[in-house]
Structures are given as C-alpha cells and as structure tokens.
C-alpha cells in the first residue's frame, strides 16, 4: 500500500497526500508555487570622507584621529607623500592571503619633525603663532586633546584634496581672526607637504571674502602677509602688501627688513625684497619729480605765445601782474618748506606737505597769511582781493601736481572718522611684476637664444 511517498522515473521524490478515497495529489507542484524567502538586504557601509572603504592609506594622528584615504590622490597632491609611497613597500606586497576589507597598503603615523621649524607665519598681528614642529605635523597649539589643533589643520588639508570645503571657524569676530588663523595654518601645512597648489584657491577665496577685515590686517602688518600672498600667488593680496611696505620703506622704523629677508619664507624671499627696494626707489623718484615741478610751477593762464593773430604785448602782461605776484608768494612758500625739510626728507616722507598742497580746502597761504605780506607791501582793498584770487587760482592748479602722490591704490576704505593712513599708497604694481611670474625669455638658454636669433658660429 502506498505510504504517500513514491519515486518517479527520474528518481526524484514527490510527496503525495490522500483524502481517504484513493485520490492522491502531488505536493511537488504546490511547493513550487510558494515564493521563497528573499535573502536579508544588507546596507553597504557608506564610503565617505574621512573613512573611504577603498582607501589604501591609513593616517593616524598622535591624538588617535584616523583618515583612510587614497594613495593616488595623496601622491598627486604632495611630492613629499609621493616619495614616501614610492620608497616604502606596501604592507601587503609580499602577502598571498586575500586582502581583508579593512586592510591598507600603507599606514602612516604622524610624528613631530623639527625640520619644519621656521615655516610659521610669525609676524602677523592678529594672533600669535607657535613654531611648527611637524609623516611630519605642525605643533598643536591646543595640546593633545580631543580638539587637537593639528587634527583640524590636516583634516582641512585632506578635505581640500577631495574638493571639499575646509571647515574654518567663524565666530562673528569683526576682524575674522579665527578664520584667518585656520586659513593660514592650512597654508602652512600645505607648504610643509609641498602641496600649496591644492589649497591655494580655497585659501585665497576665503581670505578675499573678508573684504575690509582682510585689508585692515594687511595695512597694520604687511610684513606678515606679503609672503603668504606670494605662496598663494594672489596678485590682489600681494599688491596690497607691497603698496604699504613701499609707502613705509623710507620711514623711521617703517618696516621690519630683518623679518622680510628671512630665507625661511621660501625661494621668493630675495625677489620680494628686491621688488620692495625697486618700488621704493620709484616712489622716491616720483617725489623728487613732483617737488621740482612745484618749484618751477606756474599757471597755464600765464603762458602767452605768439601766433598769426596775437602778439603778446604790454596789455597782456599787465593783466597777469597779480598772478606774477601770487606766483612769487607761492614759490616762496614751497622753498621755505623745502629748506625746513618738510618734503621727502621729513619724518613722514613728506606726506603732510603733499596733503597740504593737495587738500580740497587748502588752508595754506590764507587771507590772514597775506596780511603779513601787506605789512610790507600794502595795497588797496581791491588789489588785495585780486591778489588773493590769483593766489587761490595757483593753489587750485598746484593740486594737480601732487595728485599722483596722493592717489590711493590700497583696498582699505576709510571713513571720515578713521585715522588717515600714515604713508603714501600711490605705488603701481603690475601683474607681470609679481615675483612668481617668470618672464618668457628666462626659460630660454643661450643656445636656444642663438638659434632663435639666427646666429651661426
């Protein structure tokens, strides 16, 4: 009697059941009609910064923070890291075992490196900097705590390598000192790793967004900023620094030459100092030229030339008599100022003198000053008025002579209540004068030059 189990021709077992009346039905077809339970869905672990699943480099800071990154990205960003990977065999290079999911080819532990000393941005006025003692890391200004300073610095650096915006502190400080500190420390880290191009644009952009706060810092301490600007290759920031350094060059204790000439600032140190000296000479030459023009100045109205229709005569010269008198008084004032060393040799470099001549409401040689003149050379009331009018005309035209010295090329906006700048800011700096710009002919050697010139020796 069948027991409910039979074998078919293909020797597979079909289960059957009976309803007690001899009718049997197969369970094999029924079984295949039920859906099989699907395997449990496993959510893959996200591969995001700073722990990329496929990252093959593990970097560990002294405080325990870990980054798992890609060697190809690190190598392209930093020649120093590229050399490290090229000279260090991968951990799994000689292993035949299957690579584990969490394994890496290189594990880098950050340790202090005293060779990095001197790459700090000392000289900035807004906040003191610690010396860099930093794979190599910079010294942690906050100690080895959970909020380790170098963790943030290098985290911002690695974020830049992955085209992520760095996290700069912005606590509402009007002078943006925390943000500037974070940005400049990021630049220092990139400098030490020879990876400045990776952070150059983002650091420059964040600094330029500060607008007047940045220009205020540069005005107060241009020595601490000009080398930062050179590393960033930022014409706008570099030009602002140079304008203030050149304006203060001839002033007593105007600039810190010793700091500016430190070779630890980088390979552009000598070129930057040479540019400062060159522009300072240009400014002095401009002062001397302006002062000579003031000594020889006369209003354009006094110029009379013979032409086909007019021959200057007694009547024309008689009409200029008050201008000639006013011109003598004006030149006497200029000569007296020069002999008193109020010009370019003054302690302020002649700034007060130039501003006096170029002021919109020129207060020198006023009516009460002419009263002293009239004590010796008395005139009628009408003649006094005509002389004063002629003198005002000369003073008005003399403003144009000093205008080029008083032209403000700096970016800082000053309100009437602000203290005026204590130096000239008129120097012009062209883009091709930037120290990082290499002239085309500098890359051509003598042999190439001879060939280009068609010489045949």
């Amino acid at each position: 009697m069948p027991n409910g189990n039979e074998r078919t021709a293909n020797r597979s077992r079909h289960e059957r059941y009976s309803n007690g009346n001899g009718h049997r039905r197969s369970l094999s077809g029924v079984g295949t009609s039920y859906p099989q339970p699907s395997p449990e869905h496993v959510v893959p672990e996200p591969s995001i910064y700073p722990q990329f699943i496929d990252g093959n480099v593990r970097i560990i800071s002294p405080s325990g923070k870990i980054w798992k990154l890609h060697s190809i990205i690190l190598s392209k960003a930093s020649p120093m890291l590229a050399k490290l990977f090229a000279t260090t065999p991968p951990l799994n290079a000689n292993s035949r075992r299957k690579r584990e999911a969490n394994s890496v080819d290189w594990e880098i532990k950050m340790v202090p490196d005293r060779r990095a000393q001197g790459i700090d941005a000392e000289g900035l006025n807004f906040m003191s900097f610690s010396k860099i003692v930093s794979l190599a890391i910079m010294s942690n200004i906050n100690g080895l705590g959970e909020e380790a300073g170098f963790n943030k610095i290098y985290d911002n650096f690695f974020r830049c390598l992955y085209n992520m915006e760095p996290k700069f502190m912005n606590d509402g400080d009007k002078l943006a000192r925390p943000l500037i500190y974070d940005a400049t420390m990021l630049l220092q880290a990139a400098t030490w790793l020879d990876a400045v191009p990776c952070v150059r644009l983002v650091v420059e952009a964040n600094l330029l967004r500060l607008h007047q706060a940045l220009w205020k810092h540069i005005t107060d301490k241009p020595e601490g900023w000009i080398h930062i600007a050179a590393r960033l290759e930022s014409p706008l920031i570099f030009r602002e620094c140079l304008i203030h350094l050149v304006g203060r060059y001839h002033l007593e204790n105007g600039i810190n030459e010793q700091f500016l000439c430190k070779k630890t600032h980088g390979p552009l140190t000598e070129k930057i100092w040479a540019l400062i000296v060159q522009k300072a000479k240009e400014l002095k030459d401009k002062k001397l030229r302006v002062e000579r023009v003031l000594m020889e100045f006369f209003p354009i109205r006094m110029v009379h030339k013979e032409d086909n229709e007019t021959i200057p005569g007694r009547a024309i010269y008689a009409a200029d008599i008050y201008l000639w008198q006013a011109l003598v008084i004006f030149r006497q004032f200029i000569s007296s100022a020069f002999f008193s060393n109020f010009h370019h040799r003054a302690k302020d470099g002649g700034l007060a003198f130039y501003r006096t001549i170029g002021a919109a409401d020129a207060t020198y040689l006023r009516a009460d000053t002419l009263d002293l003149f009239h004590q010796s050379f008395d005139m009628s009331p009408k003649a006094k008025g005509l002389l004063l009018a002629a003198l005002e005309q000369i003073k008005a035209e003399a403003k144009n002579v000093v205008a080029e010295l008083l032209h403000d090329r700096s970016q800082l906006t000053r309100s009437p209540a602000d203290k005026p700048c204590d130096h000239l800011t008129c120097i012009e700096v062209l883009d091709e004068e930037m120290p990082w710009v290499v002239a085309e002919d500098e890359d051509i050697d003598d042999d190439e030059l001879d060939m280009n010139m068609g010489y045949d020796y």
Side-chain angles (χ1 to χ4, degrees):
M1 184 175 180
N3 59 2
N5 292 326
E6 295 182 354
R7 291 185 180 275
T8 60
N10 61 2
R11 304 184 64 83
S12 63
R13 181 181 297 275
H14 284 216
E15 295 185 1
R16 300 174 180 273
Y17 69 92
S18 172
N19 60 4
N21 298 323
H23 298 287
R24 289 173 294 182
R25 300 185 62 181
S26 171
L27 291 177
S28 60
V30 177
T32 58
S33 65
Y34 291 102
Q36 297 295 323
S38 59
E40 183 179 354
H41 179 64
V42 178
V43 179
E45 183 180 353
S47 181
I48 58 176
Y49 179 87
Q51 300 285 341
F52 292 102
I53 295 178
D54 57 346
N56 63 334
V57 180
R58 183 184 294 115
I59 301 176
I60 306 174
S61 78
S63 63
K65 183 174 179 61
I66 298 176
W67 296 269
K68 192 178 179 202
L69 309 174
H70 305 88
S71 61
I72 186 172
I73 292 180
L74 296 173
S75 298
K76 287 184 177 180
S78 169
M80 181 180 292
L81 292 176
K83 182 178 180 180
L84 179 66
F85 297 138
T87 57
T88 306
L91 297 175
N92 299 322
N94 300 322
S95 177
R96 295 185 177 181
R97 65 180 178 83
K98 184 178 179 180
R99 182 176 175 178
E100 299 177 0
N102 198 36
S103 65
V104 293
D105 292 328
W106 291 276
E107 185 172 277
I108 301 175
K109 295 182 179 180
M110 292 181 173
V111 294
D113 190 335
R114 298 191 177 277
R115 292 176 302 169
Q117 288 183 345
I119 309 182
D120 61 309
E122 59 178 297
L124 294 183
N125 203 26
F126 55 86
M127 186 177 292
S128 61
F129 281 79
S130 59
K131 291 286 184 182
I132 301 177
V133 285
S134 67
L135 188 62
I137 63 171
M138 299 189 303
S139 62
N140 172 29
I141 198 171
N142 298 320
L144 297 176
E146 294 181 356
E147 300 295 333
F150 52 73
N151 283 350
K152 181 177 182 179
I153 295 170
Y154 283 93
D155 189 68
N156 281 336
F157 173 73
F158 295 139
R159 291 175 69 88
C160 289
L161 304 191
Y162 286 88
N163 293 324
M164 302 172 65
E165 188 71 15
K167 295 181 178 180
F168 293 153
M169 182 181 297
N170 188 358
D171 60 355
D173 182 8
K174 291 183 179 180
L175 295 179
R177 286 168 291 193
L179 187 148
I180 293 176
Y181 177 78
D182 287 345
T184 52
M185 292 299 281
L186 169 59
L187 179 61
Q188 291 175 41
T191 301
W192 172 239
L193 294 176
D194 198 13
V196 173
C198 299
V199 305
R200 179 174 289 145
L201 292 180
V202 67
V203 171
E204 181 188 25
N206 278 274
L207 290 177
L208 291 178
R209 290 191 193 113
L210 300 178
H211 300 298
Q212 294 302 309
L214 173 64
W215 309 134
K216 178 67 169 61
H217 283 299
I218 293 177
T219 302
D220 292 342
K221 203 70 174 179
E223 294 95 336
W225 282 96
I226 193 165
H227 291 287
I228 290 177
R231 291 178 190 173
L232 293 176
E233 295 186 4
S234 172
L236 193 59
I237 299 178
F238 186 88
R239 184 178 290 110
E240 186 75 6
C241 296
L242 191 61
I243 286 173
H244 293 291
L245 288 172
V246 171
R248 295 173 178 171
Y249 181 85
H250 289 107
L251 304 183
E252 186 178 358
N253 300 321
I255 62 175
N256 188 341
E257 178 181 349
Q258 182 179 3
F259 172 77
L260 286 168
C261 293
K262 279 188 174 181
K263 295 187 180 298
T264 52
H265 289 306
L268 294 179
T269 300
E270 292 184 1
K271 294 184 69 174
I272 292 174
W273 178 249
L275 184 59
I276 293 173
V277 174
Q278 173 193 334
K279 289 297 178 179
K281 183 180 183 302
E282 291 180 10
L283 178 58
K284 184 176 181 179
D285 291 342
K286 182 180 292 188
K287 291 179 181 180
L288 294 173
R289 185 176 64 254
V290 167
E291 291 171 3
R292 177 165 187 149
V293 172
L294 286 174
M295 283 291 296
E296 302 173 349
F297 174 76
F298 51 83
I300 193 65
R301 176 185 166 182
M302 297 178 66
V303 178
H304 302 294
K305 295 183 179 181
E306 181 178 348
D307 55 31
N308 295 331
E309 299 180 356
T310 305
I311 299 177
R314 183 181 301 176
I316 292 178
Y317 291 126
D320 291 341
I321 186 63
Y322 292 106
L323 283 173
W324 280 107
Q325 289 179 320
L327 184 59
V328 170
I329 295 173
F330 175 80
R331 289 184 176 178
Q332 189 275 336
F333 170 81
I334 297 297
S335 300
S336 177
F338 287 0
F339 280 112
S340 300
N341 282 335
F342 292 151
H343 54 348
H344 67 276
R345 292 183 179 177
K347 290 185 177 180
D348 63 352
L351 179 62
F353 172 71
Y354 305 136
R355 284 178 174 170
T356 298
I357 301 296
D361 53 343
T363 56
Y364 68 102
L365 296 179
R366 301 180 302 273
D368 55 342
T369 307
L370 287 182
D371 291 340
L372 298 175
F373 173 79
H374 293 308
Q375 289 178 7
S376 300
F377 308 97
D378 203 1
M379 294 181 177
S380 66
K382 180 179 180 180
K384 290 180 180 179
L386 291 174
L387 178 60
L388 180 60
L391 188 56
E392 291 297 327
Q393 180 180 347
I394 292 176
K395 290 164 57 178
E397 293 190 26
K399 295 176 184 177
N400 298 327
V401 178
V402 299
E404 61 175 318
L405 289 176
L406 298 178
H407 180 53
D408 185 8
R409 298 184 185 275
S410 68
Q411 299 291 329
L412 182 63
T413 301
R414 295 178 177 84
S415 66
D418 293 334
K419 183 180 178 181
C421 188
D422 62 355
H423 55 274
L424 295 174
T425 55
C426 62
I427 198 67
E428 185 177 8
V429 187
L430 305 178
D431 287 345
E432 53 265 30
E433 294 178 306
M434 299 297 162
W436 57 86
V437 175
V438 179
E440 294 181 2
D441 56 353
E442 290 185 20
D443 293 331
I444 303 177
D445 56 29
D446 293 338
D447 293 335
E448 291 178 342
L449 183 60
D450 294 342
M451 294 176 61
N452 292 337
M453 297 296 292
Y455 296 151
D456 186 12
Y457 293 99

